[in-house]
Amino acid sequence: MKRIILSLSLLAIVLGGHAQERKVQNRPYTDLREFHFGVLVGTHLQDLELNNVGPQMIDLEDGNGLVEKTISADQDRWDAGFTVGVLGELRLNSTFQFRIAPAMYFGTRHLTFRNHTDLTAQGEPTEQVQEMKTAYISCALDLIAAAPRFNNHRPYVMLGVNPMLNLSGKDNDYIKLKRGDVFLEVGLGCDFYLPYFKLRPELKFMYSLTNSLDKNHAKNLRDKNMLMYTNSVNETKAKMIALTFYFE
């Protein structure tokens, strides 16, 4: 995160240094269009906040009755994915634009479950892992506030909501997410006016506004020994950091 902030600060200094002289503007009328389309590609990092319930009573159906198990679950790294989509942007006035950006987010989350009750010979918790593949269809609704254009660049900030439909999930996974989720997103970027098109790099932070955990998933498990892992979590919140390039 510190490297990202430092890079953006250096970019602002460089742009400020070049702002002392006027240059010939590329595509001078492009921002005067009332509505326009474009495409987007990018990459993102996914994370999942998991709220662990702690000790729980489990019936393993082996004749021994209820036993206490302590399981912790965590996505122990930020996992990368990629994004593709299209956009439509409406000009509200010289400062504000409203953008609709349908897109697809593809990735995989690596989840680790640690059983703190059943230990290995070395005294370490036994582990189970789940590769949670993700495929989201999204439709971001963003409000953009841009600074006045100078030469061939124009910085901006954005705020929006992004409802998503989750297309992935298996009945034999330890944890399964709901079909629907809604993300709050905030970010910043800069328009670069090139001779033949406008390029817009944008960095945004996305945070889920809902509990995305499918609590009915436990009912569909055939292997009851998986229940102690499934029931070890009662809430999940998804997070993303997305770097997107818009071509308009």
Side-chain angles (χ1 to χ4, degrees):
M1 185 64 67
K2 292 182 179 180
R3 292 182 179 179
I4 294 175
I5 296 175
L6 178 60
S7 299
L8 292 174
S9 301
L10 292 175
L11 177 61
I13 293 173
V14 171
L15 293 178
H18 287 290
Q20 304 302 320
E21 58 181 86
R22 289 283 183 177
K23 298 180 180 180
V24 176
Q25 289 190 353
N26 296 321
R27 304 176 63 82
Y29 305 108
T30 189
D31 289 335
L32 300 180
R33 295 174 295 174
E34 183 175 354
F35 190 81
H36 64 272
F37 297 93
V39 297
L40 64 95
V41 295
T43 184
H44 63 272
L45 297 175
Q46 298 187 27
D47 189 27
L48 196 64
E49 291 184 359
L50 301 158
N51 187 57
N52 294 288
V53 301
Q56 55 178 311
M57 301 304 296
I58 298 295
D59 185 0
L60 299 179
E61 299 183 350
D62 57 1
N64 295 324
L66 295 175
V67 296
E68 183 179 279
K69 300 285 185 178
T70 302
I71 311 292
S72 65
D74 183 36
Q75 180 178 342
D76 45 13
R77 68 190 186 205
W78 285 83
D79 292 302
F82 68 95
T83 312
V84 293
V86 295
L87 70 99
E89 188 168 297
L90 175 67
R91 181 180 186 269
L92 302 178
N93 54 41
S94 59
T95 300
F96 293 100
Q97 300 94 47
F98 178 72
R99 181 178 66 198
I100 301 177
M104 292 198 70
Y105 288 75
F106 299 96
T108 302
R109 294 188 175 104
H110 181 271
L111 306 182
T112 302
F113 299 85
R114 295 179 175 88
N115 187 336
H116 299 274
T117 303
D118 302 324
L119 305 179
T120 65
Q122 291 75 31
E124 299 292 330
T126 57
E127 294 186 354
Q128 299 289 340
V129 297
Q130 176 183 334
E131 297 292 338
M132 180 185 288
K133 296 186 181 297
T134 57
Y136 290 105
I137 295 179
S138 73
C139 186
L141 308 172
D142 300 321
L143 182 65
I144 297 172
R149 173 177 175 172
F150 189 90
N151 291 335
N152 289 312
H153 56 264
R154 188 186 191 194
Y156 69 89
V157 294
M158 55 78 62
L159 177 69
V161 293
N162 194 346
M164 289 192 175
L165 178 64
N166 180 21
L167 302 180
S168 58
K170 299 178 182 179
D171 287 339
N172 59 347
D173 284 340
Y174 291 112
I175 285 180
K176 186 178 179 182
L177 301 182
K178 294 178 181 177
R179 288 297 182 189
D181 205 347
V182 179
F183 287 76
L184 174 70
E185 50 186 33
V186 59
L188 70 166
C190 187
D191 293 334
F192 292 94
Y193 301 85
L194 305 179
Y196 299 106
F197 61 91
K198 181 171 71 173
L199 173 63
R200 171 182 285 176
E202 178 182 281
L203 180 67
K204 65 181 178 182
F205 304 87
M206 306 166 62
Y207 189 76
S208 174
L209 298 176
T210 67
N211 179 6
S212 56
L213 181 67
D214 184 355
K215 294 185 177 180
N216 294 320
H217 176 53
K219 301 176 183 178
N220 300 320
L221 288 176
R222 296 182 179 179
D223 184 358
K224 299 306 179 182
N225 291 325
M226 297 174 62
L227 280 174
M228 59 181 173
Y229 300 101
T230 301
N231 293 331
S232 66
V233 175
N234 61 8
E235 185 179 15
T236 61
K237 293 280 189 177
K239 299 184 293 184
M240 294 188 194
I241 300 176
L243 176 62
T244 310
F245 297 91
Y246 299 87
F247 299 86
E248 305 174 16

